[in-house]
């Protein structure tokens, strides 16, 4: 074990994203820590890192292999790209807080986990883009930065989710804290963002909205809401929500409709970020938002079940 | 460890849940109403395309002319070729340039540019959207 690993272990502390049971007492190297030597669990560190990378790959590969995403690396408005990168930060911290830890209320640890996930996202994206020969020494600096930065966002989210979904922590599912209303809406936003980010860059989103008539759009709204509601309350997946004696329409108004509005807002934000709405009138913009809001709604509903 | 498998929706929640819920309902209803209205008014719609020249500037290899294609109709036009011609006098064509705009959405506008090697200021310019297809 190196001094670096010791530092990482010390920085992460117990119950962190990378080291679930990192009991930092000292290092086994011949340095000043040797006195309290307890062997550092390098395997756990590597496992945590591996989960993060696996998550990043699982969730970000579809975007890394999408042509429009490569183009956006240089075509995307720099201000909007910067805004996306900044918005990602609190989002990652929120996810880390919600799934990275249990009841401990330590934002410091959450921020640490979020930053590690962001780093994994950046490194994984750079490696994958390099592997596909999308980054060459001839690539312009702005293009180079833009491509990696843009791909790092879904990869970082994936890295955090990888910890929760790929982890074999047995008490993870059982000990889930009862989530508040705000946390529920936040997780819906994460789920919606995830699917929206996947699809917003593609031309198909606006093409579908151009092909649709207003009646198709209305049907899409109805279907989005029905699917969202059914996913969580009717089909009774693992993690589904029970109504008991609460009438169904209560849940519809309190959870499903706000969730759908969140999915639409996230969809609008993604389309705007990627410049899909530039110069567009309000009706075509609304139609594309509804089209992208459909996968967003499914993502939001799924997030309530999975996360 | 027999635990209820999911979360239970409370019967009497905090007022903020109802406020958020009702606001969302109003928003979705408004959106639906707007689309419904659009659907009723935009029957048999077709694209109405127009091209306006916005700027003209010399470049290293000639002249660049920026334009805006606007679609004031209620239907999206796809694959719109914008043709610019420089005419000497009435008929003789000096130069012809064309660019295809992928989509001009309904009630929206798209920017583009044509590049001429001759100075468009010295000739009569004819620029228009020469066609479209359904998306």
């Amino acid at each position: 074990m190196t001094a670096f690993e010791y530092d990482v272990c010390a920085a992460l502390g117990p119950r962190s994203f990378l080291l679930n049971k990192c009991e930092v007492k000292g290092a086994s190297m011949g340095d000043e820590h040797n006195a309290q030597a307890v062997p550092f669990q390098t395997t756990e560190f590597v496992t945590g890192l591996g989960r993060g990378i696996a998550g990043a790959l699982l969730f970000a590969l579809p975007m890394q292999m999408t042509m429009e995403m490569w183009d956006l690396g240089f075509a995307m408005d720099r201000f909007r790209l910067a805004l996306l990168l900044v918005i990602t930060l609190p989002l990652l911290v929120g996810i880390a807080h919600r799934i990275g830890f249990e009841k401990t209320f330590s934002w410091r640890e959450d921020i640490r986990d979020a930053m590690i996930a962001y780093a994994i996202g950046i490194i994984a994206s750079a490696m994958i883009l390099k592997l596909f020969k999308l980054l060459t020494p001839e690539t312009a600096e702005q293009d180079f930065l833009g491509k990696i930065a843009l791909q790092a966002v879904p990869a970082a989210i994936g890295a955090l989710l990888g910890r929760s979904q790929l982890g074999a922590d047995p008490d993870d599912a059982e000990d889930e804290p009862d989530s508040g209303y705000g946390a529920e809406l936040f997780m819906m936003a994460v789920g919606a963002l995830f699917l929206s980010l996947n699809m917003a860059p593609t031309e198909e989103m606006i093409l579908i909205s151009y092909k649709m008539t207003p009646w198709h759009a209305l049907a899409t709204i109805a279907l989005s809401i029905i699917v969202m509601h059914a996913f969580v309350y009717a089909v009774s997946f693992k993690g589904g929500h029970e109504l008991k004696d609460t009438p169904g329409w209560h849940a519809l108004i309190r959870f499903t409709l706000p969730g759908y509005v969140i999915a639409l807002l996230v969809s609008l934000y993604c389309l705007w970020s990627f410049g899909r709405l530039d110069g567009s009138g309000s009706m075509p913009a609304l139609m594309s938002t509804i089209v992208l809001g459909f996968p967003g709604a499914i993502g939001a509903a799924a997030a309530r079940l999975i996360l | 460890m027999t635990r209820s498998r999911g979360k239970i929706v409370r019967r009497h929640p905090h007022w903020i849940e109802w406020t958020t819920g009702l606001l969302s309902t109003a928003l979705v209803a408004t959106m639906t109403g707007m689309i419904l209205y659009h659907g009723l008014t935009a029957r048999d719609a077709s694209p109405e395309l127009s091209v306006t020249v916005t700027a003209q500037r010399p470049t290293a290899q000639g002249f660049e002319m920026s334009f805006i294609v606007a679609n004031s109709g209620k239907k999206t036009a796809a694959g719109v070729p914008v043709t610019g011609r420089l005419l000497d006098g009435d008929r003789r064509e000096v130069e012809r340039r064309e660019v295809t705009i992928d989509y001009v959405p309904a009630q929206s506008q798209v920017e583009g540019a044509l590049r001429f090697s001759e100075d468009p200021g010295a000739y009569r310019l004819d620029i228009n959207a020469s066609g479209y297809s359904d998306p």
Side-chain angles (χ1 to χ4, degrees):
Chain A
M1 165 171 157
T2 65
F4 166 74
E5 280 169 334
Y6 173 79
D7 287 343
V8 170
C9 195
L12 292 172
R15 303 218 53 86
S16 100
F17 153 66
L18 291 171
L19 300 148
N20 280 333
K21 293 185 268 306
C22 177
E23 307 250 334
V24 187
K25 296 261 168 56
S28 54
M29 249 175 60
D31 55 16
E32 70 271 24
H33 305 298
N34 219 0
Q36 330 129 21
V38 164
F40 169 70
Q41 287 158 334
T42 317
T43 44
E44 282 213 27
F45 175 78
V46 176
T47 308
L49 215 61
R51 274 184 200 158
I53 293 170
L57 288 181
L58 178 65
F59 287 97
L61 261 184
M63 274 158 274
Q64 282 157 351
M65 299 176 99
T66 301
M67 198 165 69
E68 284 92 341
M69 282 294 272
W70 312 335
D71 298 343
L72 280 169
F74 58 84
M76 195 173 167
D77 185 271
R78 293 295 112 168
F79 161 72
R80 295 180 198 184
L81 178 57
L83 185 68
L84 179 68
L85 296 177
V86 171
I87 286 180
T88 305
L89 275 175
L91 195 83
L92 290 176
V93 175
I95 301 173
H97 183 70
R98 179 78 176 81
I99 62 179
F101 297 88
E102 282 157 52
K103 277 150 198 159
T104 44
F105 196 87
S106 165
W107 289 105
R108 254 187 71 208
E109 291 179 355
D110 296 340
I111 291 169
R112 213 158 45 201
D113 273 10
M115 294 319 293
I116 293 170
Y118 220 158
I120 291 178
I122 292 169
I123 293 166
S125 301
M127 286 191 329
I128 294 294
L129 290 173
K130 184 85 190 157
L131 177 72
F132 296 157
K133 201 175 168 278
L134 297 165
L135 300 176
T136 60
E138 289 79 48
T139 313
E141 190 192 341
Q142 279 300 313
D143 189 12
F144 200 94
L145 273 175
K147 276 197 173 84
I148 295 176
L150 183 58
Q151 300 282 7
V153 173
I157 299 176
L160 269 182
L161 297 184
R163 191 262 170 205
S164 118
Q165 297 310 308
L166 306 178
D169 209 349
D171 50 21
D172 221 25
E174 305 289 335
D175 270 350
E176 220 169 84
D178 255 356
S179 54
Y181 189 60
E184 194 90 358
L185 296 186
F186 173 76
M187 289 329 285
M188 285 202 253
V190 171
L193 182 72
F194 203 80
L195 255 78
S196 297
L197 271 183
N198 252 299
M199 301 185 179
T202 64
E203 188 179 310
E204 282 81 349
M205 291 306 116
I206 49 168
L207 179 57
I208 291 170
S209 78
Y210 297 156
K211 282 178 174 290
M212 276 179 155
T213 65
W215 312 116
H216 290 91
L218 287 177
T220 309
I221 297 175
L223 188 66
S224 304
I225 295 173
I226 293 170
V227 166
M228 263 189 104
H229 198 69
F231 247 55
V232 180
Y233 298 106
V235 200
S236 183
F237 280 118
K238 169 182 171 287
H241 297 211
E242 280 173 29
L243 285 170
K244 281 264 168 83
D245 59 339
T246 315
W249 64 271
H250 276 215
L252 178 75
I253 290 179
R254 273 160 47 203
F255 289 98
T256 307
L257 285 176
Y260 185 51
V261 169
I262 286 173
L264 287 176
L265 290 177
V266 167
S267 145
L268 184 68
Y269 170 71
C270 288
L271 289 169
W272 172 79
S273 271
F274 297 149
R276 287 295 187 195
L277 302 179
D278 294 359
S280 177
S282 58
M283 201 39 79
L286 183 58
M287 298 270 275
S288 354
T289 305
I290 289 166
V291 170
L292 185 61
F294 182 49
I298 293 176
R304 287 182 75 189
L305 302 177
I306 299 166
L307 302 177
Chain B
M1 231 177 132
T2 44
R3 216 178 65 116
S4 146
R5 55 196 307 236
K7 294 155 197 154
I8 295 164
V9 178
R10 278 180 299 160
R11 178 88 203 235
H12 300 290
H14 196 258
W15 59 268
I16 209 149
E17 297 192 12
W18 279 113
T19 316
T20 318
L22 292 174
L23 276 177
S24 308
T25 313
L27 215 64
V28 173
T30 313
M31 187 179 77
T32 311
M34 274 169 70
I35 294 171
L36 197 65
Y37 175 78
H38 179 73
L40 292 172
T41 52
R43 281 191 184 165
D44 311 317
S46 59
E48 303 282 344
L49 297 169
S50 61
V51 183
T52 324
V53 174
T54 52
Q56 184 180 321
R57 64 184 184 91
T59 62
Q61 292 175 312
F63 297 85
E64 189 174 289
M65 178 167 282
S66 307
F67 62 84
I68 285 178
V69 194
N71 180 359
S72 57
K74 287 190 170 179
K75 197 165 190 304
T76 295
V80 179
V82 175
T83 315
R85 295 186 302 158
L86 298 183
L87 299 173
D88 189 7
D90 268 349
R91 282 279 163 262
R92 205 176 66 83
E93 190 175 294
V94 180
E95 204 176 348
R96 181 195 187 94
R97 289 284 184 262
E98 190 173 281
V99 63
T100 304
I101 311 282
D102 287 345
Y103 298 107
V104 187
Q107 296 181 313
S108 306
Q109 47 190 32
V110 178
E111 287 170 43
L114 288 173
R115 293 165 65 91
F116 294 96
S117 52
E118 301 290 328
D119 181 2
Y123 300 94
R124 193 166 73 79
L125 173 76
D126 175 53
I127 186 166
N128 57 49
S130 39
Y132 67 84
S133 63
D134 275 345

